[in-house]
Amino acid sequence: MAAPMLRWCCPGRRFAFARVGCGSCHRRGPPTGSTSNGKRGQSSVAQQPHITAQKPRKGEPEWAAVVGLEIHAQIASNSKLFSGSQVCFAAPPNSLVSFFDASLPGTLPVLNRRCVEAAVMTGLALDCHINRKSLFDRKHYFYADLPAGYQITQQRLPIAVNGSLAYSVYVGRKPSQMVTRTVRVKQIQLEQDSGKSLHDDLRSQTLIDLNRAGIGLLELVLEPDMSCGEEAATAVRELQLILQALGTSQANMADYEIQRQINELENGGEILNETRSFDFKLGCTVPMRDKEGKQDYRFMPEPNLPPLLLYDSGSLPSSADPQQVINIDQLRERLPELPRVTRQRLVQQYGMLPEHSCVLLNEVGLLEFFQNVIKETRAEPKKVTSWVLNTFLGFLKQQNLAVSESPVTPSALAELLDLLDRKAISAPAAKQVFEELWRNEGKTPAQIVAEKKLELLQDPEALEQLCRSTLEAHPDVVMDLKRGNPRAINKLIGLVRKATLGRADPTAIKEVLERQLSS
């Protein structure tokens, strides 16, 4: 893995975070500095401060990123990895700390079964080899929020290795220009979290909160197979969807760093091998602490934990207590539908484009919203897809709202699409009704249609008469149309719609006008 190490923290949340080794930013051409020493567990300096490189060719970007990720995702568990302390966000400081979490003498770790199952399920979802035997180790470093002076991790033999993560990226300007790429998953290991240090510069003091100390983490090491921040963000988002589908982590993550490294190098600076924290108020990363070399970690076998043994149906001892062993085959059977399978199903079931299925999954809550609309409307799936991705999602983005904050419910949109489907209202009227739904919670589409008198004109004779009157009243527009200006028909349609107060279907108006003009 290339360094530096970044510690991502979501604003106001502690449910998950990622530590990301962003690889090296280097100039195009053969660099003279090394970006990795090739040893597991060691992160090298991402870039030597003075690099000599060939002059980039015309049109080539001056800097190229080499991105590998080391992600720490907090396991969704009610208790910590090695103690029975509760895991609860925003609890009063130091209120969820057991004797073991505080590293009092004589306390011993007890492995959390739920955390082991989460690691195995994640490994299976990422096509990893699950090691039937894995080991725990102590990783030593000294910091105020680490009471024992070491973390329990898996350095020698992790629980899962040699997997892969497939993700789709856009390679052109068109949304349809998508390609699938794969990043190798080197390993997945269990690790306990450290506590939290609160630095008070005004009083020159540091306060320690150990509520987080000992929380179970999944450390996922991805090989440096990516070449830009967009790829890294897409891969992290795909991993996030997988973890959320599995229920192994709430997986609230962020992504930032390459531009900072480029700016640092351009100004003659040096990329230090350090842990950085994300400051959500400033929108950037800030130094947290220097990274020590591998020799300083002084890895050693954890003496208080025996090897972790896993079984499958064929190797499970007949006398084994089901509560004391983990069956990999049973966990494999519990795997839910993974995001890539969900996207394929959406394309096959509803005939949508692959890029549309990606959007439905990438926006939190949007797929559920879409499926609820589908259940309640008679409109075609393609029309539902268009309204959800264009109109509904567009309004959300304009006002920077989450799906859960939308004033328009799936039931309301389904009712609106039914009105449109049975030609009770026109498409422009439907857009007007949607705007009213967005502004006025509590009203139904039918009520808005009645109040605004937006029902379609259903009398063919009345429409025929309005079109004829419009043609007679605007001979100049008719003459313009006959001279070959195709836009003139749109003006005539607009005049008829104005006369009907928007209650006539533009398509029906056009058909009547064209028939009358040709007669």
Side-chain angles (χ1 to χ4, degrees):
M1 286 292 295
M5 302 295 289
L6 307 179
R7 187 185 182 92
W8 298 106
C9 298
C10 281
R13 298 178 183 267
R14 199 192 308 132
F15 287 104
F17 57 89
R19 184 171 295 161
V20 181
C22 273
S24 61
C25 287
H26 59 80
R27 291 188 185 275
R28 297 266 180 188
T32 58
S34 172
T35 60
S36 175
N37 66 0
K39 297 181 181 179
R40 185 199 301 180
Q42 172 73 22
S43 292
S44 66
V45 175
Q47 180 65 47
Q48 300 298 329
H50 303 292
I51 293 292
T52 60
Q54 295 176 348
K55 185 177 180 181
R57 301 174 192 167
K58 185 177 181 181
E60 272 193 332
E62 188 172 358
W63 292 97
V66 178
V67 185
L69 300 178
E70 185 176 294
I71 299 170
H72 284 187
Q74 180 175 317
I75 299 172
S77 173
N78 293 328
S79 57
K80 296 181 180 181
L81 182 57
F82 297 115
S83 78
S85 294
Q86 184 183 4
V87 175
C88 180
F89 172 67
N94 295 308
S95 63
L96 305 175
V97 186
S98 70
F99 290 157
F100 177 80
D101 302 329
S103 300
L104 295 187
T107 56
L108 296 173
V110 178
L111 184 56
N112 184 334
R113 178 190 180 94
R114 160 62 185 163
C115 293
V116 177
E117 292 180 339
V120 173
M121 292 181 69
T122 303
L124 292 173
L126 295 176
D127 296 324
C128 290
H129 169 73
I130 307 299
N131 285 322
R132 299 305 195 268
K133 177 182 178 181
S134 58
L135 304 173
F136 288 98
D137 304 277
R138 289 184 178 183
K139 175 182 178 182
H140 294 82
Y141 65 90
F142 299 95
Y143 202 68
D145 58 18
L146 193 67
Y150 63 85
Q151 284 178 303
I152 301 179
T153 184
Q154 293 188 305
Q155 190 264 346
R156 292 172 295 160
L157 190 58
I159 198 166
V161 294
N162 300 333
S164 63
L165 172 64
Y167 58 97
S168 297
V169 293
Y170 297 107
V171 294
R173 296 182 180 179
K174 296 181 180 179
S176 59
Q177 295 178 298
M178 296 176 61
V179 297
T180 299
R181 291 180 177 161
T182 302
V183 56
R184 292 167 295 157
V185 179
K186 181 180 180 182
Q187 65 192 55
I188 300 174
Q189 61 196 54
L190 288 165
E191 184 174 277
Q192 61 178 168
D193 198 2
S194 58
K196 182 178 181 181
S197 298
L198 305 172
H199 304 290
D200 188 342
D201 294 334
L202 293 178
R203 300 178 182 178
S204 300
Q205 64 181 9
T206 294
L207 306 177
I208 305 298
D209 180 8
L210 294 181
N211 280 350
R212 200 171 69 192
I215 286 179
L217 304 177
L218 287 178
E219 180 175 339
L220 302 100
V221 181
L222 309 186
E223 299 285 9
D225 296 338
M226 294 164 287
S227 59
C228 66
E230 288 77 11
E231 276 195 55
T234 304
V236 168
R237 178 56 177 148
E238 183 68 14
L239 177 61
Q240 182 181 32
L241 292 173
I242 292 172
L243 295 177
Q244 290 170 343
L246 295 172
T248 56
S249 174
Q250 296 195 12
N252 301 303
M253 302 181 185
D255 187 47
Y256 170 98
E257 176 65 2
I258 288 177
Q259 191 57 47
R260 183 196 73 84
Q261 290 192 22
I262 292 176
N263 294 339
E264 187 74 23
L265 293 169
E266 297 248 338
N267 292 319
E270 178 181 357
I271 304 301
L272 300 176
N273 198 13
E274 62 186 359
T275 297
R276 298 179 66 86
S277 175
F278 186 76
D279 189 320
F280 68 92
K281 293 182 180 179
L282 298 178
C284 63
T285 60
V286 294
M288 187 175 176
R289 57 175 174 257
D290 291 341
K291 290 294 293 181
E292 303 173 16
K294 179 180 178 182
Q295 64 276 14
D296 293 322
Y297 286 134
R298 293 182 296 111
F299 283 106
M300 61 171 283
E302 169 55 53
N304 294 322
L305 284 168
L308 173 59
L309 301 180
L310 306 177
Y311 301 90
D312 54 28
S313 298
S315 62
L316 187 67
S318 58
S319 60
D321 182 354
Q323 299 300 318
Q324 297 298 320
V325 297
I326 289 179
N327 188 328
I328 299 172
D329 290 335
Q330 287 183 352
L331 293 178
R332 184 180 284 106
E333 293 173 358
R334 285 168 46 188
L335 290 179
E337 182 178 78
L338 296 177
R340 65 175 182 272
V341 178
T342 302
R343 286 190 288 266
Q344 293 169 358
R345 175 176 58 80
L346 292 172
V347 171
Q348 295 172 358
Q349 185 174 356
Y350 301 118
M352 66 176 62
L353 297 173
E355 55 267 26
H356 290 166
S357 68
C358 288
V359 177
L360 283 176
L361 263 72
N362 285 345
E363 296 291 334
V364 177
L366 192 60
L367 176 60
E368 182 181 2
F369 186 95
F370 168 82
Q371 290 174 328
N372 287 335
V373 176
I374 284 284
K375 291 177 185 177
E376 299 187 43
T377 185
R378 294 174 296 179
E380 294 181 352
K382 287 186 178 180
K383 182 166 288 187
V384 178
T385 301
S386 176
W387 271 82
V388 169
L389 296 185
N390 296 325
T391 306
F392 176 73
L393 189 56
F395 271 69
L396 287 177
K397 291 189 177 297
Q398 285 176 9
Q399 300 188 26
N400 196 28
L401 296 177
V403 174
S404 60
E405 299 171 316
S406 166
V408 177
T409 65
S411 297
L413 181 54
E415 181 183 340
L416 173 59
L417 293 178
D418 280 343
L419 291 173
L420 185 59
D421 185 64
R422 65 172 186 260
K423 300 188 183 303
I425 57 176
S426 65
K431 295 291 178 67
Q432 186 176 344
V433 173
F434 186 87
E435 292 174 1
E436 287 296 319
L437 285 172
W438 197 269
R439 290 194 293 264
N440 301 293
E441 289 188 72
K443 289 187 177 181
T444 67
Q447 290 173 335
I448 295 172
V449 168
E451 290 175 4
K452 300 291 183 180
K453 298 180 179 180
L454 297 174
E455 304 94 339
L456 270 180
L457 186 64
Q458 302 292 344
D459 188 348
E461 293 184 4
L463 183 59
E464 290 275 352
Q465 182 58 44
L466 283 170
C467 288
R468 187 173 295 107
S469 300
T470 301
L471 293 175
E472 292 173 354
H474 299 87
D476 53 334
V477 181
V478 175
M479 186 60 67
D480 191 23
L481 179 63
K482 291 182 177 180
R483 287 173 179 169
N485 182 5
R487 296 181 180 178
I489 190 69
N490 295 330
K491 185 171 183 180
L492 290 171
I493 293 172
L495 291 168
V496 176
R497 291 197 70 247
K498 184 177 180 181
T500 64
L501 300 177
R503 296 176 56 211
D505 182 14
T507 302
I509 295 173
K510 185 177 181 181
E511 292 176 356
V512 174
L513 288 173
E514 289 177 342
R515 185 171 63 251
Q516 291 180 353
L517 286 167
S518 62
S519 61

